[in-house]
Amino acid sequence: MRKRKLFGTIAILLTCAMFTACATPTSEPTSTPAGTPTTAPEEVTNVSYKVGEVSTYNAPAADYGLSIDASKEIHDISELLYGIFFEDINFASDGGLYAEMVYNRSFEFNHLALNDEKFCWTDVGSISATVIKGDKEGCLNINNPNYMLLKNDSAEPAGVRNKGFLEGMCVKADTSYNFSVYAKGMDGYTGPLHVSVIAGNETVASGEIKSLTSEWKKYELSLTSSKSATRSVYLVVTIDKGSAAIDMVSLFPAETYKGRENGLRKDLAEKLEALKPKFLRFPGGCVIEGISLELAYDWKDSIGVDENGDPLLFNGNYGDVAARKLGQNLWTNESLTNDAYPVFMTYGLGFYEYFLLSEDIGAIGVPVLNCGIAC
């Protein structure tokens, strides 16, 4: 902490002006006999204001004077009082600061969303695309029990596509994007997985995973867009004739803030850094409470834990985003069962990422925890 001069001249003068405008000299109350006609109070002429108008401080006309010695240091003010309060509301995290472009990437949305677990995914070609729910034996892990099963009986590639958050994805020309997916061949399928980004009817980026194995495996591709587009942009995933399972379908801009994997949008995070905050409070206020304690934000879920609350080992790592249980955001409208814009929490931007962001912008991380109440 270091000393700063406390300059309160403006605030004090405004306060004085307000006081002057509201103050009226008073006298001792007197009793008036019943039935005695009352007279209107005398107009006060020594108060510098007019009814219905905004008054300003007028030194000559003011009833009160105030002298300020701004050179005198009165109070010590902490440098830590200026910071950022992040609230996960209105897609501030998923669909906002968090750079993931795929909406409902793990097929874990529920009945509150339009088309339930298949929310935001539509069929491409002659395909049977079904979300397999709660498959404890064949799923990716206990926190990610749903996956998409693709069955293509045609001679042409077929699959599903995702439009992204809110009004949809957008891509920039000559810009690279990192695609990843967990996939496995079913019923002996070892064929390719075709991946593309389309804008309208035009393919602007494409790649191919040559062959799938019969076990879950993470596959990655780099896709570079040939043009910029902001409308009717979709990520498309298809297979040849046969069956395959997919999960955690993801698309990130290759350039994230500080180049971090599973990172943040560079443009937005740089604006936070430019504020030069001394602290970052996260992940919000009301969102911590949740609609119920059962559905409240759980910081442990944001780093990936098992049913006992212990860190979950997945893919050789602790804290893998594919092992984080989907959460229901407080701001989801529970009165709807076909919400076109449901708000869930992937926890891809979890406590670990919030602390990283705090370090990256030179701020102190201030986590908010539930104290046992629901909204």
Side-chain angles (χ1 to χ4, degrees):
M1 201 178 332
R2 65 183 177 84
K3 289 187 176 180
R4 291 180 176 174
K5 294 181 180 179
L6 184 63
F7 296 96
T9 306
I10 296 177
I12 294 173
L13 292 181
L14 286 174
T15 303
C16 290
M18 293 172 63
F19 180 78
T20 300
C22 297
T24 302
T26 60
S27 58
E28 292 296 323
T30 58
S31 60
T32 303
T36 301
T38 58
T39 57
E42 294 183 6
E43 182 180 358
V44 179
T45 59
N46 62 340
V47 178
S48 56
Y49 79 98
K50 292 183 180 180
V51 176
E53 295 184 4
V54 177
S55 61
T56 58
Y57 181 73
N58 186 326
D63 298 303
Y64 304 93
L66 184 66
S67 298
I68 302 294
D69 182 2
S71 65
K72 185 177 181 181
E73 296 181 352
I74 301 174
H75 298 290
D76 291 333
I77 300 178
S78 172
E79 292 183 334
L80 303 180
L81 294 181
Y82 176 79
I84 296 172
F85 175 23
F86 185 90
E87 173 78 33
D88 187 3
I89 182 175
N90 293 336
F91 298 91
S93 177
D94 292 302
L97 183 60
Y98 184 47
E100 175 63 80
M101 299 170 65
V102 177
Y103 202 178
N104 188 25
R105 64 184 177 185
S106 61
F107 313 103
E108 301 293 332
F109 283 22
N110 60 26
H111 67 281
L112 298 177
L114 184 66
N115 293 327
D116 303 341
E117 292 81 10
K118 200 177 175 180
F119 171 80
C120 207
W121 293 93
T122 54
D123 296 351
V124 174
S126 181
I127 191 75
S128 170
T130 307
V131 176
I132 306 301
K133 299 184 291 183
D135 182 1
K136 295 182 180 180
E137 299 298 325
C139 67
L140 201 57
N141 57 64
I142 60 172
N143 287 339
N144 200 337
N146 296 356
Y147 58 89
M148 176 77 80
L149 179 61
L150 303 175
K151 289 185 178 182
N152 181 9
D153 293 327
S154 71
E156 299 295 327
V160 289
R161 69 182 188 180
N162 188 282
K163 78 176 186 69
F165 290 85
L166 300 174
E167 300 306 316
M169 298 181 186
C170 63
V171 290
K172 293 182 179 179
D174 304 317
T175 300
S176 295
Y177 298 87
N178 294 333
F179 168 83
S180 65
V181 63
Y182 282 86
K184 63 178 178 179
M186 306 290 285
D187 302 325
Y189 182 79
T190 58
L193 190 73
H194 309 286
V195 182
S196 62
V197 176
I198 64 172
N201 296 321
E202 181 182 357
T203 298
V204 298
S206 63
E208 182 180 275
I209 296 165
K210 298 299 183 182
S211 63
L212 302 182
T213 68
S214 59
E215 300 295 329
W216 285 114
K217 181 181 176 180
K218 185 176 182 180
Y219 299 90
E220 298 175 290
L221 290 172
S222 177
L223 306 174
T224 301
S225 180
S226 61
K227 65 180 296 184
S228 297
T230 59
R231 293 288 185 270
S232 301
V233 178
Y234 294 87
L235 172 68
V236 182
V237 178
T238 61
I239 60 172
D240 290 346
K241 186 175 182 179
S243 300
I246 59 174
D247 201 354
M248 286 299 293
V249 186
S250 175
L251 187 67
F252 271 79
E255 187 177 12
T256 59
Y257 180 62
K258 302 294 184 181
R260 295 196 181 279
E261 186 178 357
N262 187 53
L264 309 179
R265 276 182 50 175
K266 185 172 183 288
D267 56 342
L268 295 181
E270 285 181 344
K271 287 178 172 59
L272 297 183
E273 181 181 12
L275 294 173
K276 298 181 180 179
K278 294 301 182 180
F279 69 84
L280 171 65
R281 184 186 179 205
F282 60 84
C286 292
V287 72
I288 287 295
E289 298 176 7
I291 197 69
S292 67
L293 289 179
E294 182 182 5
L295 296 176
Y297 187 103
D298 191 328
W299 73 268
K300 288 189 176 182
D301 284 342
S302 83
I303 61 174
V305 294
D306 61 20
E307 61 271 26
N308 298 316
D310 297 322
L312 179 63
L313 181 64
F314 174 74
N315 201 28
N317 299 304
Y318 290 106
D320 194 297
V321 292
R324 301 181 189 181
K325 185 189 301 182
L326 186 77
Q328 180 180 316
N329 195 297
L330 167 68
W331 306 110
T332 293
N333 190 343
E334 288 205 323
S335 67
L336 299 179
T337 56
N338 287 291
D339 194 346
Y341 301 106
V343 188
F344 290 87
M345 300 179 292
T346 65
Y347 285 123
L349 174 51
F351 264 41
Y352 175 69
E353 288 76 20
Y354 280 120
F355 276 115
L356 282 180
L357 174 60
S358 300
E359 292 182 1
D360 286 341
I361 64 178
I364 296 174
V366 183
V368 182
L369 302 176
N370 189 294
C371 62
I373 61 172
C375 189

